[in-house]
Amino acid sequence: MSVIDRTARVTPARPRKPRNPLRTAVWAGIVALFALSLYGIEIRWDRLLELPQNLVRYAGLMFVPPDVSALGKAVSATIESVQMAWFGTVLGIIVSFPLSFLAAANIGPLWLRWPLRVVFAVIRAVPEVVIAILILSVTGLTAFTGALAIAIGSVGTLGKWGYEAIEGAEKGPIEAARAAGGSTAQIVRWGLWTDVAPEVFAFWLYRFEINVRASAILGLIGAGGIGSMLVDNVQYRQWGAVGMLLIVVVVITVIIDQISGRVRRRIIDGHWGRHRTI
C-alpha cells in the first residue's frame, strides 16, 4: 500500500456542521412576524406601484418652481422649530444630568437607581407627540407645549445614555481619587466626570439633532414651527410653499448636522476635521 493510500485512509472525514435548533427557531419567528406584519397592515400593492409616479408629480408641483414669496415664513417657521428643540434639549439636560449619576450602579444606591431607570424607560416608551397631547390641557396649543414635550422625551434618552456612560468609566482615576482621600463629590468631579465628559457632551449634541426633527413632527398637532406651516399649506394645496419649506428645512438641518458633527468630533477626538490616515 502506498503512502498516499495510507494517508487517505487515516485522514478523518470533515465533521458535519452542528445544528442549532434555537437559532433556526428564532429566524423562523422573525420571518413569521414579518409575514404577519404584511398581512396586518393590509398593503395595497396597486397603490404602491403608483408611488413613483405620484412622487414625480408632487415633486414637480412643489419644486418647479418653489414659491419664493414663502421664503420668509419658511425661515421663521424653521427657526421656531430649532428654538423649540434647543429649549427642550437644554431643559432635558438640566433635569437628566444629576439623575444620570444617581441611576448609575457605581454611584447611586440600589433603592434609588432602579426606580430612576424605570422612569427613564417609561419616558422613552412614550413618543413626544403623545406627551404633547397629554400636556395640552395645561399649556395650551403653543410652541411651549412642543418644547416641554421635547424636554420630557430628552430626559428619558439622556438619562439612559448618561448612566451607561458613567458605568463604563475607567476605574483607575476613581480609585486614585478615593485613595487620595477625596470625598464623594470630589471623586465624581475629578475621578469620574473628566473621563465621561466627552461622551456625555457628544450625547447632548446628538440629542439636539434628534430634537430638531422631532420639533417638525410636533408642529403637525399645532405646536408651531415647521409642522404647522406644512399642514396649513398642504390643506390649501399650496404646493409651491410646501416645496420652499422643505428646501429651507433641508438646508438648515444639514447645516446643524455639520456643525454639531464637527463639535462632537472635536470633543471626542480632539480635532475638527475627519480622521486622517498616514
Side-chain angles (χ1 to χ4, degrees), residues 11-204:
T11 302
R14 174 180 291 183
R16 294 182 179 180
K17 184 178 179 179
R19 296 180 179 179
N20 191 337
L22 179 60
R23 182 171 58 185
T24 303
V26 169
W27 280 108
I30 293 174
V31 174
L33 288 175
F34 179 73
L36 289 174
S37 300
L38 291 178
Y39 177 77
I41 60 179
E42 299 180 357
I43 297 178
R44 296 181 58 180
W45 297 103
D46 55 336
R47 299 296 298 273
L48 189 61
L49 295 176
E50 297 174 0
L51 180 61
Q53 179 181 356
N54 290 329
L55 287 177
V56 172
R57 174 172 172 265
Y58 283 105
L61 293 173
M62 290 187 292
F63 302 112
V64 188
D67 187 1
V68 182
S69 63
L71 177 60
K73 293 182 179 180
V75 173
S76 299
T78 306
I79 291 176
E80 185 179 11
S81 291
V82 174
Q83 291 173 338
M84 288 168 51
W86 180 253
F87 178 83
T89 303
V90 173
L91 187 57
I93 290 171
I94 294 173
V95 175
S96 66
F97 181 65
L99 298 180
S100 299
F101 286 92
L102 297 176
N106 51 352
I107 299 282
L110 180 63
W111 61 268
L112 180 59
R113 66 172 181 263
W114 279 111
L116 286 175
R117 295 187 180 194
V118 171
V119 171
F120 292 154
V122 171
I123 293 175
R124 291 196 309 273
V126 183
E128 285 84 355
V129 175
V130 178
I131 297 175
I133 294 174
L134 293 176
I135 63 178
L136 276 177
S137 59
V138 179
T139 58
L141 200 59
T142 62
F144 182 60
T145 301
L148 284 180
I150 289 175
I152 295 173
S154 298
V155 169
T157 305
L158 293 177
K160 176 180 173 59
W161 288 347
Y163 75 71
E164 287 181 348
I166 293 169
E167 290 178 349
E170 294 290 337
K171 296 182 179 179
I174 300 176
E175 294 175 354
R178 184 178 291 110
S183 62
T184 302
Q186 292 173 332
I187 292 173
V188 171
R189 171 62 183 89
W190 302 109
L192 179 62
W193 174 243
T194 54
D195 184 33
V196 302
E199 189 174 0
V200 172
F201 283 138
F203 287 154
W204 291 351

Side-chain angles (χ1 to χ4, degrees), residues 1 4 10 21 37 60 67-68 83 110 134 144 164 179 189 203 212 218 242 246-247 249 252 274 276:
M1 183 180 295
I4 298 176
V10 171
S37 300
D67 187 1
V68 182
Q83 291 173 338
L110 180 63
L134 293 176
F144 182 60
E164 287 181 348
R189 171 62 183 89
F203 287 154
V212 171
L218 289 172
V242 173
L246 293 179
I247 292 173
V249 168
I252 293 182
R274 295 180 178 274
R276 297 180 180 179

